[in-house]
Coordinates of all heavy atoms in Angstrom, one line a residue:
M1 N 198.7 156.4 210.9 CA 197.3 156.6 211.2 C 196.7 155.4 211.9 O 196.8 154.3 211.3 CB 196.6 157.0 209.9 CG 195.1 157.2 210.1 SD 194.1 157.5 208.6 CE 194.9 159.0 207.9
N2 N 196.1 155.6 213.0 CA 195.5 154.5 213.7 C 194.1 154.3 213.2 O 193.6 155.1 212.4 CB 195.6 154.6 215.2 CG 194.7 155.8 215.8 OD1 193.7 156.2 215.2 ND2 195.2 156.4 216.9
F3 N 193.4 153.2 213.8 CA 192.0 152.9 213.3 C 191.0 154.0 213.5 O 190.3 154.4 212.6 CB 191.5 151.7 214.0 CG 190.1 151.3 213.6 CD1 189.9 150.7 212.4 CD2 189.1 151.5 214.5 CE1 188.5 150.5 212.0 CE2 187.8 151.2 214.2 CZ 187.5 150.7 212.9
R4 N 191.1 154.6 214.7 CA 190.2 155.7 215.0 C 190.3 156.9 214.1 O 189.3 157.4 213.6 CB 190.3 156.2 216.5 CG 189.4 155.5 217.4 CD 189.3 156.2 218.8 NE 188.6 155.2 219.5 CZ 189.0 154.8 220.7 NH1 190.1 155.3 221.2 NH2 188.4 153.9 221.3
Q5 N 191.5 157.3 213.8 CA 191.7 158.4 212.9 C 191.3 158.0 211.5 O 190.6 158.9 210.9 CB 193.3 158.7 212.9 CG 193.8 159.3 214.2 CD 195.3 159.3 214.2 OE1 196.0 158.5 213.7 NE2 195.9 160.3 214.9
H6 N 191.5 156.8 211.1 CA 191.1 156.4 209.8 C 189.6 156.4 209.7 O 189.0 156.9 208.7 CB 191.6 155.0 209.5 CG 191.3 154.5 208.1 ND1 191.8 155.2 207.0 CD2 190.5 153.4 207.7 CE1 191.3 154.5 205.9 NE2 190.5 153.5 206.4
K7 N 188.9 155.9 210.7 CA 187.4 155.9 210.9 C 186.9 157.4 210.7 O 186.0 157.6 210.0 CB 186.9 155.2 212.1 CG 185.5 155.2 212.3 CD 185.2 154.5 213.6 CE 183.8 154.7 214.1 NZ 183.5 154.1 215.4
E8 N 187.5 158.2 211.5 CA 187.0 159.7 211.5 C 187.1 160.3 210.1 O 186.3 161.0 209.7 CB 187.8 160.5 212.5 CG 187.4 160.2 214.0 CD 188.3 160.9 215.0 OE1 189.0 161.9 214.6 OE2 188.3 160.5 216.2
K9 N 188.2 159.9 209.5 CA 188.5 160.5 208.1 C 187.4 159.9 207.2 O 186.8 160.7 206.4 CB 189.8 160.1 207.7 CG 190.2 160.6 206.3 CD 191.6 160.1 205.9 CE 191.9 160.6 204.5 NZ 193.2 160.1 204.0
L10 N 187.1 158.7 207.2 CA 186.1 158.1 206.4 C 184.7 158.6 206.6 O 183.9 158.8 205.7 CB 186.1 156.5 206.5 CG 187.3 155.8 206.0 CD1 187.2 154.3 206.4 CD2 187.4 155.9 204.5
L11 N 184.4 158.8 207.9 CA 183.0 159.3 208.2 C 182.8 160.7 207.9 O 181.7 161.2 208.0 CB 182.8 159.1 209.7 CG 182.7 157.6 210.2 CD1 182.5 157.5 211.7 CD2 181.5 156.9 209.5
K12 N 183.8 161.4 207.4 CA 183.6 162.8 206.8 C 182.8 162.8 205.5 O 182.1 163.7 205.2 CB 184.9 163.5 206.6 CG 185.6 163.9 207.9 CD 186.8 164.6 207.8 CE 187.5 164.9 209.2 NZ 188.8 165.5 209.0
S13 N 182.9 161.6 204.9 CA 182.0 161.5 203.7 C 180.6 161.2 204.1 O 180.3 160.3 204.8 CB 182.6 160.3 202.9 OG 181.6 159.8 201.9
S14 N 179.6 161.9 203.5 CA 178.2 161.8 203.9 C 177.7 160.4 203.5 O 176.9 159.8 204.1 CB 177.4 162.9 203.3 OG 177.5 162.9 201.9
K15 N 178.2 159.9 202.3 CA 177.8 158.6 201.8 C 178.3 157.5 202.8 O 177.5 156.6 203.2 CB 178.5 158.4 200.5 CG 177.5 158.0 199.4 CD 178.3 158.0 198.1 CE 177.8 156.8 197.2 NZ 178.6 156.9 195.9
V16 N 179.5 157.6 203.2 CA 180.0 156.6 204.2 C 179.3 156.7 205.5 O 178.9 155.7 206.2 CB 181.6 156.8 204.4 CG1 182.1 155.9 205.5 CG2 182.3 156.5 203.0
R17 N 179.1 158.0 206.0 CA 178.5 158.2 207.3 C 177.0 157.6 207.2 O 176.6 157.0 208.2 CB 178.4 159.6 207.6 CG 177.7 159.9 209.0 CD 177.8 161.3 209.5 NE 179.1 161.7 209.8 CZ 179.7 161.4 211.0 NH1 179.0 160.7 211.9 NH2 180.9 161.7 211.3
K18 N 176.3 157.8 206.1 CA 174.9 157.3 206.1 C 174.9 155.8 206.2 O 174.1 155.2 206.9 CB 174.3 157.8 204.8 CG 172.9 157.4 204.6 CD 172.3 158.0 203.3 CE 170.9 157.6 203.1 NZ 170.3 158.0 201.9
E19 N 175.8 155.1 205.4 CA 175.9 153.6 205.5 C 176.3 153.1 206.9 O 175.8 152.2 207.4 CB 176.8 153.1 204.4 CG 176.9 151.6 204.3 CD 175.6 151.0 203.8 OE1 174.6 151.7 203.4 OE2 175.5 149.7 203.8
Y20 N 177.3 153.8 207.5 CA 177.7 153.5 208.8 C 176.5 153.6 209.8 O 176.4 152.7 210.7 CB 178.8 154.4 209.2 CG 179.4 154.1 210.6 CD1 180.3 153.0 210.8 CD2 179.1 154.9 211.7 CE1 180.8 152.8 212.1 CE2 179.6 154.6 213.0 CZ 180.5 153.6 213.2 OH 181.0 153.3 214.4
E21 N 175.7 154.6 209.8 CA 174.6 154.8 210.6 C 173.6 153.7 210.4 O 172.9 153.3 211.3 CB 174.1 156.2 210.5 CG 175.0 157.2 211.1 CD 174.7 158.7 210.8 OE1 173.7 158.9 210.0 OE2 175.3 159.6 211.3
R22 N 173.4 153.4 209.1 CA 172.4 152.4 208.8 C 172.8 151.0 209.4 O 171.9 150.3 209.8 CB 172.3 152.3 207.2 CG 171.2 151.3 206.8 CD 171.2 151.1 205.3 NE 172.3 150.3 204.8 CZ 172.3 149.0 204.8 NH1 171.4 148.3 205.4 NH2 173.4 148.3 204.4
L23 N 174.1 150.8 209.5 CA 174.6 149.5 210.0 C 174.8 149.6 211.5 O 175.4 148.6 212.1 CB 175.9 149.1 209.3 CG 175.7 148.7 207.8 CD1 177.0 148.6 207.2 CD2 174.8 147.5 207.7
G24 N 174.4 150.7 212.1 CA 174.7 150.9 213.6 C 174.3 149.7 214.4 O 175.1 149.2 215.3
P25 N 173.1 149.1 214.3 CA 172.7 148.0 215.2 C 173.6 146.8 215.0 O 173.9 146.1 215.9 CB 171.2 147.7 214.7 CG 170.8 149.0 214.2 CD 171.9 149.6 213.5
E26 N 174.0 146.5 213.8 CA 174.8 145.4 213.5 C 176.2 145.6 214.2 O 176.8 144.7 214.8 CB 175.1 145.2 212.0 CG 173.9 144.6 211.3 CD 172.8 145.6 210.8 OE1 172.9 146.8 211.2 OE2 172.0 145.2 210.0
F27 N 176.7 146.8 214.1 CA 178.0 147.1 214.7 C 177.9 147.0 216.2 O 178.8 146.4 216.9 CB 178.5 148.5 214.3 CG 179.0 148.6 212.9 CD1 178.7 149.8 212.2 CD2 179.7 147.6 212.3 CE1 179.2 149.9 210.9 CE2 180.2 147.7 211.0 CZ 179.9 148.8 210.3
Q28 N 176.8 147.4 216.8 CA 176.6 147.4 218.2 C 176.5 146.0 218.7 O 177.1 145.6 219.7 CB 175.3 148.1 218.6 CG 175.1 148.2 220.1 CD 173.8 149.0 220.4 OE1 173.1 149.5 219.5 NE2 173.6 149.2 221.6
L29 N 175.8 145.1 218.0 CA 175.7 143.7 218.4 C 177.1 143.0 218.3 O 177.5 142.3 219.2 CB 174.7 143.0 217.5 CG 174.5 141.5 217.8 CD1 174.1 141.3 219.2 CD2 173.6 140.9 216.8
A30 N 177.8 143.3 217.2 CA 179.1 142.7 217.1 C 180.0 143.1 218.2 O 180.7 142.2 218.8 CB 179.7 143.1 215.7
R31 N 180.0 144.4 218.5 CA 180.9 144.9 219.6 C 180.5 144.3 220.9 O 181.4 143.9 221.7 CB 180.8 146.4 219.8 CG 181.7 147.2 218.8 CD 181.7 148.6 219.2 NE 180.4 149.3 219.3 CZ 179.8 149.9 218.2 NH1 180.3 150.0 217.1 NH2 178.6 150.4 218.4
S32 N 179.2 144.1 221.1 CA 178.8 143.5 222.4 C 179.1 142.1 222.5 O 179.6 141.6 223.7 CB 177.2 143.6 222.5 OG 176.8 145.0 222.6
L33 N 179.0 141.3 221.5 CA 179.5 139.9 221.5 C 180.9 139.8 221.8 O 181.4 139.0 222.6 CB 179.1 139.3 220.1 CG 177.7 139.0 219.8 CD1 177.5 138.6 218.4 CD2 177.1 137.9 220.7
I34 N 181.8 140.6 221.1 CA 183.2 140.5 221.2 C 183.6 140.9 222.7 O 184.4 140.2 223.3 CB 183.9 141.4 220.2 CG1 183.7 140.8 218.8 CG2 185.4 141.5 220.6 CD1 184.1 141.9 217.7
R35 N 183.1 142.0 223.2 CA 183.4 142.4 224.5 C 183.0 141.3 225.6 O 183.8 141.0 226.5 CB 182.5 143.7 224.9 CG 183.4 144.9 224.8 CD 182.7 146.1 225.4 NE 182.9 147.2 224.5 CZ 182.0 147.8 223.9 NH1 180.7 147.5 224.1 NH2 182.2 148.8 223.1
A36 N 181.8 140.7 225.4 CA 181.3 139.7 226.4 C 182.2 138.5 226.3 O 182.6 137.9 227.4 CB 179.8 139.3 226.1
R37 N 182.6 138.1 225.1 CA 183.5 136.9 225.0 C 184.8 137.2 225.5 O 185.4 136.3 226.3 CB 183.6 136.5 223.5 CG 184.5 135.3 223.2 CD 184.6 134.9 221.8 NE 185.1 136.0 221.0 CZ 186.3 136.4 220.7 NH1 187.3 135.8 221.5 NH2 186.7 137.3 219.9
L38 N 185.4 138.3 225.2 CA 186.8 138.6 225.7 C 186.8 138.8 227.3 O 187.7 138.4 228.0 CB 187.3 139.9 225.1 CG 187.6 139.8 223.6 CD1 188.0 141.1 223.0 CD2 188.7 138.7 223.4
K39 N 185.7 139.3 227.8 CA 185.5 139.4 229.3 C 185.6 138.0 229.9 O 186.2 137.9 231.0 CB 184.2 140.1 229.6 CG 184.1 140.4 231.1 CD 182.7 141.2 231.3 CE 182.6 141.5 232.8 NZ 181.3 142.2 233.1
K40 N 185.1 137.0 229.2 CA 185.2 135.7 229.8 C 186.6 135.1 229.6 O 186.9 134.0 230.1 CB 184.2 134.7 229.1 CG 182.7 135.1 229.4 CD 182.4 134.5 230.7 CE 180.8 134.6 231.0 NZ 180.4 134.2 232.3
G41 N 187.4 135.7 228.7 CA 188.7 135.2 228.3 C 188.6 134.0 227.3 O 189.5 133.2 227.3
W42 N 187.5 134.0 226.6 CA 187.3 132.9 225.7 C 187.7 133.2 224.3 O 187.6 134.4 223.8 CB 185.8 132.5 225.6 CG 185.3 131.9 226.9 CD1 186.0 131.5 228.0 CD2 183.9 131.7 227.2 NE1 185.1 131.0 228.9 CE2 183.9 131.2 228.5 CE3 182.7 132.0 226.5 CZ2 182.6 130.9 229.1 CZ3 181.5 131.6 227.1 CH2 181.5 131.2 228.4
T43 N 188.1 132.2 223.6 CA 188.4 132.3 222.1 C 187.0 132.2 221.4 O 186.0 131.7 222.1 CB 189.3 131.3 221.6 OG1 188.7 130.0 221.7 CG2 190.7 131.4 222.2
Q44 N 187.0 132.5 220.1 CA 185.8 132.2 219.3 C 185.5 130.7 219.4 O 184.4 130.3 219.4 CB 185.9 132.6 217.9 CG 185.9 134.1 217.7 CD 186.1 134.6 216.3 OE1 186.5 133.8 215.4 NE2 185.8 135.8 216.0
A45 N 186.5 129.9 219.3 CA 186.4 128.4 219.3 C 185.7 127.9 220.6 O 184.9 127.1 220.6 CB 187.7 127.7 219.1
E46 N 186.1 128.6 221.7 CA 185.6 128.1 223.0 C 184.1 128.5 223.1 O 183.3 127.8 223.6 CB 186.4 128.8 224.2 CG 185.8 128.5 225.5 CD 185.9 127.1 226.0 OE1 186.6 126.3 225.4 OE2 185.1 126.7 226.9
L47 N 183.8 129.7 222.7 CA 182.4 130.1 222.7 C 181.6 129.2 221.8 O 180.5 128.8 222.2 CB 182.2 131.6 222.3 CG 180.8 132.1 222.1 CD1 180.0 132.0 223.4 CD2 180.8 133.6 221.7
A48 N 182.1 129.0 220.6 CA 181.4 128.0 219.7 C 181.1 126.7 220.3 O 180.0 126.2 220.2 CB 182.2 127.9 218.4
R49 N 182.1 126.2 221.0 CA 182.0 124.9 221.7 C 180.9 124.9 222.7 O 180.0 124.0 222.8 CB 183.3 124.4 222.3 CG 183.3 123.0 222.9 CD 184.5 122.7 223.6 NE 184.7 123.5 224.8 CZ 184.0 123.3 226.0 NH1 183.1 122.4 226.0 NH2 184.3 124.0 227.0
R50 N 180.9 126.0 223.5 CA 179.8 126.1 224.6 C 178.4 126.4 224.0 O 177.5 126.0 224.7 CB 180.2 127.2 225.5 CG 181.4 126.9 226.3 CD 181.9 128.2 227.1 NE 183.1 127.9 227.9 CZ 183.1 127.6 229.1 NH1 182.0 127.6 229.8 NH2 184.3 127.4 229.8
V51 N 178.3 126.9 222.8 CA 177.0 127.2 222.2 C 176.6 126.0 221.4 O 175.4 125.8 221.1 CB 177.1 128.5 221.4 CG1 175.8 128.7 220.6 CG2 177.4 129.7 222.3
G52 N 177.5 125.1 220.9 CA 177.2 124.0 220.0 C 177.2 124.5 218.6 O 176.4 124.0 217.8
M53 N 178.1 125.5 218.3 CA 178.2 126.0 216.9 C 179.6 125.8 216.4 O 180.5 125.3 217.2 CB 177.9 127.5 216.9 CG 176.5 127.9 217.3 SD 176.4 129.7 217.5 CE 176.4 130.2 215.7
Q54 N 179.9 126.1 215.2 CA 181.2 126.0 214.6 C 181.8 127.4 214.8 O 181.1 128.4 214.8 CB 181.2 125.7 213.1 CG 180.6 124.3 212.9 CD 181.5 123.2 213.4 OE1 182.7 123.2 213.2 NE2 180.9 122.2 214.1
Q55 N 183.1 127.4 214.9 CA 183.8 128.7 215.1 C 183.6 129.7 214.1 O 183.4 130.9 214.3 CB 185.4 128.5 215.4 CG 186.2 129.7 215.5 CD 186.7 130.4 214.2 OE1 186.8 129.6 213.2 NE2 186.8 131.6 214.2
P56 N 183.5 129.3 212.8 CA 183.3 130.3 211.7 C 181.9 131.0 211.8 O 181.8 132.1 211.4 CB 183.3 129.5 210.4 CG 184.2 128.3 210.7 CD 183.9 128.0 212.2
N57 N 181.0 130.4 212.4 CA 179.7 131.0 212.8 C 179.8 132.1 213.8 O 179.1 133.2 213.6 CB 178.6 129.9 213.2 CG 178.3 129.0 212.1 OD1 178.3 129.3 210.9 ND2 178.0 127.8 212.5
I58 N 180.7 131.8 214.8 CA 180.9 132.9 215.8 C 181.6 134.1 215.1 O 181.3 135.3 215.3 CB 181.7 132.4 216.9 CG1 180.9 131.3 217.7 CG2 182.0 133.5 217.9 CD1 179.6 131.8 218.3
A59 N 182.6 133.8 214.2 CA 183.3 134.7 213.5 C 182.4 135.6 212.7 O 182.5 136.9 212.7 CB 184.4 134.2 212.6
R60 N 181.4 135.0 212.0 CA 180.5 135.8 211.2 C 179.6 136.7 212.1 O 179.3 137.8 211.7 CB 179.6 134.8 210.4 CG 180.2 134.3 209.1 CD 179.3 133.6 208.2 NE 178.9 132.3 208.7 CZ 179.6 131.2 208.5 NH1 180.8 131.3 207.9 NH2 179.2 130.1 209.0
L61 N 179.2 136.2 213.2 CA 178.4 137.0 214.2 C 179.2 138.2 214.6 O 178.7 139.4 214.6 CB 177.9 136.2 215.4 CG 176.9 135.2 215.3 CD1 176.6 134.4 216.5 CD2 175.6 135.9 214.9
E62 N 180.5 138.0 215.0 CA 181.3 139.1 215.4 C 181.7 140.0 214.3 O 182.1 141.2 214.6 CB 182.6 138.5 216.2 CG 182.2 137.8 217.5 CD 183.4 137.4 218.2 OE1 184.6 137.6 217.8 OE2 183.2 136.9 219.3
G63 N 181.7 139.5 213.1 CA 182.0 140.4 212.0 C 180.8 141.1 211.4 O 181.0 141.8 210.5
G64 N 179.6 140.9 211.9 CA 178.5 141.5 211.5 C 177.8 141.0 210.3 O 176.9 141.4 209.6
N65 N 178.2 139.7 209.9 CA 177.6 138.9 208.8 C 176.6 138.0 209.3 O 176.9 136.8 209.5 CB 178.7 138.2 208.1 CG 179.7 139.1 207.3 OD1 179.3 140.1 206.8 ND2 180.9 138.6 207.1
Y66 N 175.4 138.5 209.5 CA 174.4 137.7 210.0 C 173.0 138.1 209.5 O 172.1 138.5 210.3 CB 174.4 137.6 211.5 CG 174.7 138.9 212.2 CD1 173.7 139.9 212.4 CD2 175.9 139.0 212.7 CE1 174.0 141.0 213.0 CE2 176.2 140.3 213.4 CZ 175.3 141.3 213.5 OH 175.5 142.4 214.1
D67 N 172.9 138.0 208.2 CA 171.6 138.4 207.5 C 170.4 137.5 208.0 O 169.3 138.0 208.2 CB 171.7 138.2 206.1 CG 172.6 139.3 205.4 OD1 172.8 140.3 206.0 OD2 173.1 139.0 204.3
R68 N 170.7 136.3 208.5 CA 169.7 135.4 208.8 C 169.9 134.8 210.2 O 169.5 133.6 210.4 CB 169.5 134.2 207.7 CG 169.2 134.8 206.4 CD 168.9 133.7 205.5 NE 168.5 134.3 204.2 CZ 168.1 133.6 203.2 NH1 168.1 132.2 203.3 NH2 167.8 134.1 202.1
V69 N 170.5 135.5 211.1 CA 170.7 134.9 212.4 C 169.3 135.0 213.1 O 168.5 135.9 213.0 CB 171.7 135.7 213.3 CG1 171.3 137.1 213.6 CG2 172.0 134.9 214.5
S70 N 169.0 133.9 213.9 CA 167.7 133.8 214.5 C 167.8 134.2 216.0 O 168.9 134.2 216.5 CB 167.2 132.4 214.4 OG 168.0 131.5 215.3
L71 N 166.7 134.6 216.5 CA 166.7 135.0 217.9 C 167.0 133.9 218.7 O 167.8 134.0 219.7 CB 165.3 135.6 218.2 CG 165.1 136.3 219.6 CD1 166.2 137.3 219.8 CD2 163.7 136.8 219.7
P72 N 166.5 132.6 218.5 CA 167.0 131.5 219.3 C 168.4 131.3 219.4 O 169.1 131.0 220.3 CB 166.2 130.3 218.7 CG 165.0 130.9 218.1 CD 165.4 132.3 217.6
T73 N 169.2 131.6 218.2 CA 170.6 131.5 218.2 C 171.2 132.5 219.0 O 172.1 132.3 219.8 CB 171.1 131.6 216.7 OG1 170.6 130.5 215.9 CG2 172.6 131.6 216.6
L74 N 170.8 133.7 218.9 CA 171.3 134.8 219.7 C 171.1 134.5 221.2 O 171.9 134.8 222.1 CB 170.7 136.1 219.4 CG 171.2 136.7 218.1 CD1 170.4 138.0 217.8 CD2 172.7 137.0 218.0
K75 N 170.0 133.9 221.5 CA 169.7 133.6 223.0 C 170.6 132.5 223.5 O 171.1 132.6 224.6 CB 168.2 133.0 223.0 CG 167.2 134.1 223.0 CD 165.8 133.4 223.2 CE 164.7 134.5 223.2 NZ 163.4 133.9 223.4
K76 N 171.0 131.5 222.6 CA 172.0 130.6 223.0 C 173.3 131.1 223.3 O 174.0 130.9 224.3 CB 172.0 129.4 221.9 CG 170.9 128.4 221.9 CD 171.2 127.2 221.2 CE 171.6 127.4 219.8 NZ 171.7 126.1 219.0
V77 N 173.7 132.1 222.4 CA 175.0 132.7 222.6 C 175.0 133.6 223.8 O 175.9 133.5 224.7 CB 175.3 133.6 221.4 CG1 176.6 134.4 221.5 CG2 175.5 132.7 220.1
A78 N 173.9 134.3 224.1 CA 173.8 135.1 225.3 C 173.9 134.3 226.5 O 174.5 134.7 227.4 CB 172.5 136.0 225.2
R79 N 173.2 133.2 226.5 CA 173.1 132.3 227.6 C 174.5 131.8 228.0 O 174.9 131.8 229.1 CB 172.1 131.1 227.4 CG 171.8 130.4 228.6 CD 170.7 129.3 228.4 NE 169.5 129.8 227.6 CZ 169.3 129.3 226.4 NH1 170.0 128.4 225.8 NH2 168.2 129.8 225.7
A80 N 175.2 131.4 226.9 CA 176.5 130.9 227.2 C 177.5 131.9 227.8 O 178.4 131.6 228.5 CB 177.1 130.3 225.8
L81 N 177.3 133.2 227.3 CA 178.1 134.3 227.8 C 177.6 134.8 229.2 O 178.2 135.8 229.7 CB 178.1 135.4 226.8 CG 178.8 135.1 225.5 CD1 178.5 136.1 224.5 CD2 180.3 135.1 225.8
G82 N 176.5 134.3 229.7 CA 175.9 134.9 230.9 C 175.4 136.3 230.7 O 175.4 137.1 231.6
A83 N 174.9 136.5 229.5 CA 174.4 137.9 229.1 C 172.9 137.8 228.8 O 172.3 136.8 228.7 CB 175.1 138.4 227.9
E84 N 172.3 139.0 228.7 CA 170.9 139.1 228.4 C 170.8 139.9 227.0 O 171.6 140.7 226.7 CB 170.1 140.0 229.4 CG 170.1 139.2 230.8 CD 169.3 140.0 231.8 OE1 168.5 141.0 231.4 OE2 169.4 139.8 233.0
I85 N 169.7 139.5 226.3 CA 169.4 140.3 225.1 C 168.4 141.3 225.3 O 167.4 141.1 226.0 CB 168.9 139.3 224.0 CG1 170.0 138.3 223.7 CG2 168.4 140.1 222.8 CD1 169.5 137.2 222.7
E86 N 168.7 142.5 224.9 CA 167.7 143.6 224.9 C 167.3 144.0 223.5 O 168.2 144.3 222.7 CB 168.3 144.8 225.6 CG 168.6 144.6 227.0 CD 169.2 145.8 227.8 OE1 169.1 146.9 227.1 OE2 169.8 145.7 228.8
I87 N 166.0 144.0 223.2 CA 165.6 144.4 221.9 C 164.7 145.6 222.1 O 163.8 145.6 222.9 CB 164.7 143.3 221.2 CG1 165.7 142.0 221.0 CG2 164.2 143.7 219.8 CD1 165.0 140.9 220.5
K88 N 165.0 146.6 221.2 CA 164.2 147.9 221.4 C 163.9 148.5 220.0 O 164.8 148.5 219.2 CB 165.1 148.8 222.2 CG 164.6 150.2 222.4 CD 165.5 151.0 223.3 CE 166.3 151.9 222.5 NZ 167.1 152.9 223.3
L89 N 162.7 148.9 219.8 CA 162.3 149.6 218.6 C 162.2 151.1 219.0 O 161.5 151.4 220.0 CB 161.1 149.1 218.0 CG 161.1 147.7 217.6 CD1 159.6 147.2 217.1 CD2 162.0 147.5 216.4
S90 N 162.8 152.0 218.2 CA 162.6 153.4 218.5 C 162.0 154.1 217.3 O 162.3 153.8 216.1 CB 164.0 154.0 218.7 OG 164.6 153.5 219.8
A91 N 161.1 155.0 217.6 CA 160.3 155.7 216.4 C 160.8 157.1 216.3 O 161.3 157.7 217.2 CB 158.9 155.5 216.6

């Protein structure tokens, strides 16, 4: 069973699906960071060096562990990647 199949199986549970949907923005940000970094051909260590952070901090961002990440930090990461940040609230 590959990852996609496993994910589909897990998401059949309403409890798992609800939590997955609640964490949607975190997953989206993590995917965006990883994609942008890989597009540059950089390691986490290289991105960290360019941002002035430690590699474990980049790993936490990419892993979705950022309860207290600041907007200025995200801006620095985006600037290093040549990316823009879009923030949107939907009602």
Side-chain angles (χ1 to χ4, degrees):
M1 178 181 300
N2 67 30
F3 175 76
R4 264 196 194 127
Q5 292 167 329
H6 184 64
K7 178 179 163 185
E8 286 175 17
K9 182 179 177 184
L10 290 173
L11 290 176
K12 288 180 182 176
S13 162
S14 61
K15 234 171 143 177
V16 172
R17 180 174 290 283
K18 184 177 179 181
E19 185 66 8
Y20 181 79
E21 289 170 355
R22 185 183 75 77
L23 292 171
E26 285 87 347
F27 290 142
Q28 184 179 3
L29 177 58
R31 277 191 306 269
S32 297
L33 287 170
I34 293 166
R35 261 192 222 118
R37 178 178 60 77
L38 292 176
K39 187 175 179 181
K40 294 278 189 184
W42 296 346
T43 63
Q44 288 179 346
E46 176 64 17
L47 175 57
R49 185 186 68 73
R50 291 171 181 262
V51 176
M53 297 172 72
Q54 298 294 315
Q55 180 273 331
N57 294 329
I58 298 297
R60 277 192 287 280
L61 285 173
E62 291 185 358
N65 289 330
Y66 38 78
D67 291 337
R68 295 183 179 190
V69 67
S70 67
L71 189 54
T73 296
L74 288 176
K75 284 180 177 179
K76 285 196 304 188
V77 172
R79 194 174 313 114
L81 291 166
E84 294 182 15
I85 295 176
E86 293 180 17
I87 298 175
K88 174 175 103 172
L89 298 175
S90 300

